[in-house]
Amino acid sequence: MNTSDQLDAAFSALSHPTRRAMLARLAEGEATVNTLAEPFEMSLPAISKHIRVLEKAGLVKRGRDAQFRPCTLDAQPLEAIAHWTARYRPIWEARFDKMDQILNKLKDVKND
């Protein structure tokens, strides 16, 4: 999968709050599908679909431990997102600096 496709898949996977919550849980360590399903009021097949989306994006890997298939986080696609967004950081910082200057001017005018 090329970088553009990897970014598309990762952003698509991250677009759903359930999948983001699952990744947050997996950041704490491996978990079974049942463990990942616990906080959600949805069927196990629906949970499995979410996990498949995360797997397809490369964000989750499933292992084998006897009859269990524990899921683990693979942060490599998140690193690709971080590198992609880093290119835009100077733009955001310049805009925040400009906003800070405007707010300070408004504060100075209010205090006069």
Side-chain angles (χ1 to χ4, degrees):
M1 183 181 306
N2 69 37
T3 303
S4 180
D5 291 342
Q6 185 181 35
L7 283 171
D8 290 348
F11 277 121
S12 179
L14 293 171
S15 69
H16 198 283
T18 298
R19 293 191 287 267
R20 291 192 304 271
M22 288 177 172
L23 289 179
R25 168 54 189 85
L26 290 172
E28 298 171 8
E30 80 175 18
T32 64
V33 172
N34 287 334
T35 301
L36 290 174
E38 284 174 6
F40 306 106
E41 292 185 18
M42 62 178 69
S43 67
L44 280 179
I47 292 294
S48 291
K49 285 182 183 181
H50 283 297
I51 293 170
R52 280 194 299 277
V53 170
L54 293 168
E55 280 183 296
K56 187 175 179 181
L59 292 161
V60 167
K61 293 186 178 185
R62 283 202 231 193
R64 226 186 243 305
D65 183 13
Q67 72 270 22
F68 298 106
R69 297 211 48 208
C71 299
T72 57
L73 174 67
D74 183 352
Q76 192 279 326
L78 296 175
E79 184 178 343
I81 289 173
H83 286 302
W84 182 82
T85 58
R87 291 187 283 170
Y88 301 97
R89 186 179 188 99
I91 296 167
W92 301 333
E93 288 176 350
R95 289 181 181 174
F96 285 133
D97 289 346
K98 183 69 174 170
M99 185 172 63
D100 193 41
Q101 291 170 3
I102 291 169
L103 290 173
N104 283 332
K105 283 181 186 178
L106 289 172
K107 189 170 98 177
D108 291 343
V109 167
K110 184 180 175 182
N111 289 334
D112 285 343

